[in-house]
């Protein structure tokens, strides 16, 4: 093999490794047609780095994936959710550390700075996989986060098409927490903020419908016949968005609707105000159509 051929093969190996998420087991590399010699040349040339004996990675691989490979674990829970760009609640300092799933029999590894998940998820996973499948990710999220935060992440996965609520309901979870979330989850919420808002309202004796179209436009929630609630996300601050929402609120008001608008801070950190405002509006009959 000429030098040019070797360079071309190394280039292809690096591209293949990047396509695997930046890190790959040597068994998978050999199955893809790359020899141990190919791997050694790529590592020697600085195109790949070796993680322990059986893993190789690109030099720009995500650090969480590298850490998982270094202990023969899998990225899971909120760390995997971040990689998939799912909605994530604000996490405390410890929860921001990498979440890694390991086999129940694993031992002799450095767990410092990690959130280690020992429980076995519903889906059997090969030892050559470095990121948990989505069902296992949701399983660990159900056990790790507060119930409503976990529900918001589950519905984010559904919203992105990574999970199907019908399929999730049929999984043998082996966890009452995950089973409850599977029964609650739906594809209706547009955001994690909406998931938590609706879940909290469900505890109240109100008639609530999500994503109802009025005047050709969807509203986040309709209580009764005429009380609309709209939600402004954490990054909702652009003047263009504000003007659009003011126009929508005006259209609804002219059609006889009352519009209550709440933001991220209020829903997450001032829920008593949100609940009191909605219940007072209902007490005034603003949820009923005028006869």
């Amino acid at each position: 093999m000429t030098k040019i051929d070797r360079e071309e093969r190394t280039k292809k190996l690096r591209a293949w490794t990047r396509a695997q998420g930046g890190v790959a087991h040597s068994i998978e590399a050999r199955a893809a047609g790359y020899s141990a010699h190919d791997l050694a040349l790529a590592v020697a040339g600085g195109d790949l780095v070796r993680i322990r004996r059986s893993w190789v990675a690109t030099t720009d691989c995500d650090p969480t994936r590298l850490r998982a490979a270094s202990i023969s674990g899998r990225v899971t829970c909120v760390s995997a959710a971040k990689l998939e760009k799912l909605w994530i609640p604000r996490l405390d300092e410890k929860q921001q550390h990498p979440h890694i799933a390991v086999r129940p029999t694993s031992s002799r590894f450095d767990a410092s700075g990690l959130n280690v998940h020992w429980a076995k998820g519903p889906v059997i996973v090969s030892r050559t996989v470095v990121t948990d499948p989505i069902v296992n990710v949701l399983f660990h999220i159900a056990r790790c986060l507060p119930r409503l935060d976990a529900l918001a992440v589950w519905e984010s996965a559904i919203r992105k098409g990574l999970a199907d609520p019908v399929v999730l309901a049929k999984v043998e979870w082996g966890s009452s927490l995950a089973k409850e979330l599977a029964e609650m989850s739906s594809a209706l919420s547009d955001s994690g903020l909406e998931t938590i808002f609706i879940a909290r309202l469900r505890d109240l004796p109100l008639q609530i419908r999500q994503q109802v179209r009025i005047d050709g436009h969807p509203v986040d929630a309709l209580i009764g016949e005429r009380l609309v609630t709209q939600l402004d996300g954490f990054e909702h601050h652009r003047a263009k968005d504000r003007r659009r929402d003011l126009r929508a609120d005006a259209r609804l008001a002219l059609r006889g609707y009352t519009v209550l608008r709440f933001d991220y801070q209020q829903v997450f950190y001032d829920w008593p105000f949100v609940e009191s405002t909605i219940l007072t509006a209902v007490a005034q009959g603003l949820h009923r159509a005028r006869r």
Side-chain angles (χ1 to χ4, degrees):
M1 183 183 294
T2 67
K3 180 181 178 181
I4 294 177
D5 290 337
R6 286 197 298 271
E7 290 177 350
E8 183 63 25
R9 189 160 179 77
T10 297
K11 181 180 178 181
K12 289 181 179 179
L13 173 56
R14 184 174 64 245
W16 175 85
T17 306
R18 183 168 284 113
Q20 311 312 304
V23 60
H25 197 280
S26 57
I27 290 177
E28 297 295 331
R30 289 197 294 273
Y34 298 101
S35 66
H37 184 61
D38 292 328
L39 294 173
L41 286 177
V43 171
D47 294 282
L48 297 177
V49 294
R50 192 175 292 280
I51 311 299
R52 298 184 72 174
R53 182 180 64 181
S54 302
W55 296 87
V56 292
T58 58
T59 55
D60 59 351
C61 178
D62 181 88
T64 306
R65 294 185 193 272
L66 290 178
R67 190 69 192 277
S70 72
I71 62 172
S72 294
R74 300 178 306 282
V75 182
T76 196
C77 198
V78 292
S79 296
K82 284 181 180 178
L83 292 178
E84 294 289 355
K85 295 181 170 46
L86 300 184
W87 186 92
I88 299 293
R90 290 179 177 175
L91 303 172
D92 61 32
E93 184 178 355
K94 183 178 185 303
Q95 286 282 44
Q96 292 179 33
H97 295 163
H99 290 249
I100 309 297
V102 298
R103 297 177 183 277
T105 56
S106 296
S107 62
R108 295 184 180 179
F109 63 86
D110 179 13
S112 59
L114 295 179
N115 291 290
V116 180
H117 292 257
W118 298 90
K120 187 177 179 181
V123 177
I124 297 173
V125 185
S126 165
R127 65 188 179 94
T128 63
V129 172
V130 78
T131 303
D132 248 346
I134 191 64
V135 168
N136 287 0
V137 170
L138 297 180
F139 168 83
H140 289 296
I141 283 172
R143 294 164 53 88
C144 188
L145 296 185
R147 173 173 163 270
L148 292 187
D149 287 349
L151 177 62
V153 182
W154 276 54
E155 293 200 341
S156 178
I158 292 170
R159 193 163 54 248
K160 288 201 69 174
L162 298 179
D164 184 324
V166 175
V167 174
L168 295 179
K170 294 179 180 296
V171 172
E172 295 182 356
W173 290 102
S175 161
S176 58
L177 296 171
K179 186 175 185 295
E180 180 186 9
L181 293 183
E183 293 170 350
M184 294 173 61
S185 299
S186 78
L188 290 175
S189 295
D190 267 350
S191 66
L193 174 63
E194 185 177 333
T195 292
I196 289 177
F197 176 79
I198 293 297
R200 286 177 169 169
L201 284 185
R202 293 295 185 201
D203 295 331
L204 303 174
L206 301 172
Q207 180 191 32
I208 306 165
R209 290 177 288 161
Q210 287 182 259
Q211 297 301 318
V212 176
R213 295 189 73 83
I214 302 173
D215 185 32
H217 302 275
V219 300
D220 292 330
L222 177 63
I223 299 174
E225 300 167 291
R226 285 292 187 269
L227 182 58
V228 170
T229 56
Q230 299 280 55
L231 303 172
D232 297 336
F234 180 66
E235 296 180 350
H236 188 90
H237 60 270
R238 294 181 299 179
K240 181 176 68 174
D241 293 333
R242 181 62 178 161
R243 287 193 297 271
R244 178 201 64 203
D245 292 341
L246 289 173
R247 286 195 295 269
D249 292 353
R251 286 197 306 270
L252 291 168
L254 292 176
R255 284 161 176 77
Y257 292 88
T258 296
V259 181
L260 299 178
R261 188 173 288 276
F262 304 105
D263 65 12
Y264 183 101
Q265 189 74 21
Q266 290 170 317
V267 172
F268 275 85
Y269 303 106
D270 195 9
W271 181 253
F273 163 76
V274 174
E275 181 179 297
S276 173
T277 301
I278 291 172
L279 292 180
T280 301
V282 170
Q284 293 177 348
L286 298 179
H287 62 307
R288 293 193 295 266
R290 297 170 185 167
R291 307 301 181 188

